[in-house]
Amino acid sequence: LSLSLSLSSLSLPPSPHTGCRLGITNPEITQMQSRAIVEAALNVKANGIVAQPDIMIPLIGDVSEFVHQRDLIHATAQQVFAERSDTHAFRVGTMIEIPRAALLAEEVAKEADFFSFGTNDLTQMTYGFSRDDVGTFLPIYLQKHILPHDPFQTLDRRGVGKLVKMAVDDGRKAKGSLKIGICGEHGGDPDSIQFVNGIGIDYVSCSPFRVPIARLAAAQAEIQKK
């Protein structure tokens, strides 16, 4: 059983006060959510189920934000372990959604257990427009070939993809065993899957109805790579 939870959800367009920022200014939120994750892992462990919790810290723009929240999560977990007289392994990683975080990937990787690229929001922040906005002009952009495709459906390899590849390379330079994935609609797009498979991404995450397509595309990408 693989368990992946984010400490906060990001609304579109993104608010300046959300993600890890909300956890820093209101630490009780991070404490409450991390306690719930650790207690749930201990509960299923008591029932003979092995869980593998991955706790993702969202929307970081600097390694200091990650370290602050990671340390708070670990401190909260230690409190729960003491109360329950039991322990459970878990990993703390981050969502790479802000271009600055991608640029600082080597620094972040030294502190994080894993990366998960939130490519929907990374696309939004790289292009400077939101998914809510594109309906007003994107059809015209596509019609006039300003853009070759909807960048929220198929990953922009030249721009966003370049950021992702650089962050993967820099992250693995700092920590060779770093687990890296992507999540969002791109995780179910065959062209995007082919690209991320070629740059060393370990897994993709997508909405349930896209899982069959994602599995087939991942298999095809791996065959083509060989």
Side-chain angles (χ1 to χ4, degrees):
L1 175 64
S2 179
L3 180 62
S4 224
L5 298 115
S6 175
L7 294 180
S8 177
S9 59
L10 179 63
S11 299
L12 292 172
S15 164
H17 193 195
T18 189
C20 68
R21 300 161 189 163
L22 192 60
I24 291 170
T25 58
N26 298 273
E28 64 276 10
I29 295 176
T30 298
Q31 291 170 321
M32 174 188 66
Q33 294 186 332
S34 55
R35 170 177 282 272
I37 294 169
V38 174
E39 287 184 342
L42 290 174
N43 289 341
V44 298
K45 177 183 176 182
N47 292 324
I49 300 173
V50 179
Q52 298 174 338
D54 282 347
I55 302 176
M56 290 190 284
I57 299 173
L59 210 66
I60 71 158
D62 194 89
V63 66
S64 60
E65 293 175 313
F66 175 81
V67 169
H68 180 282
Q69 291 291 279
R70 181 205 61 193
D71 290 351
L72 183 57
I73 291 166
H74 278 289
T76 302
Q78 291 304 317
Q79 292 176 358
V80 176
F81 295 157
E83 294 166 5
R84 298 283 292 267
S85 298
D86 198 1
T87 62
H88 200 293
F90 63 92
R91 293 179 295 197
V92 182
T94 188
M95 294 281 284
I96 304 291
E97 303 157 278
I98 297 178
R100 191 174 192 275
L103 293 170
L104 298 177
E106 187 172 355
E107 293 181 34
V108 178
K110 293 175 182 177
E111 305 291 343
D113 294 326
F114 65 90
F115 285 174
S116 181
F117 288 94
T119 52
N120 292 337
D121 297 320
L122 186 58
T123 295
Q124 173 174 274
M125 296 189 194
T126 302
Y127 270 98
F129 49 68
S130 76
R131 284 172 286 177
D132 292 339
D133 296 333
V134 293
T136 60
F137 65 85
L138 185 59
I140 297 173
Y141 266 47
L142 296 177
Q143 181 183 2
K144 294 185 176 183
H145 306 290
I146 303 298
L147 292 176
H149 50 69
D150 181 346
F152 293 107
Q153 295 297 321
T154 299
L155 189 69
D156 161 43
R157 298 189 181 197
R158 291 170 52 235
V160 180
K162 188 174 183 178
L163 271 176
V164 173
K165 183 181 185 306
M166 180 182 66
V168 169
D169 292 343
D170 287 350
R172 292 256 170 81
K173 187 190 305 179
K175 185 177 293 181
S177 61
L178 188 69
K179 178 184 176 184
I180 305 177
I182 70 165
C183 61
E185 292 306 302
H186 297 116
D189 173 66
D191 184 80
S192 303
I193 290 172
Q194 183 182 46
F195 172 74
V196 299
N197 183 68
I199 63 172
I201 296 289
D202 297 311
Y203 71 93
V204 298
S205 174
C206 60
S207 52
F209 78 93
R210 286 179 174 260
V211 169
I213 296 174
R215 293 182 67 180
L216 177 61
Q220 291 173 334
E222 188 63 22
I223 291 172
Q224 290 173 10
K225 188 168 70 172
K226 294 178 178 179

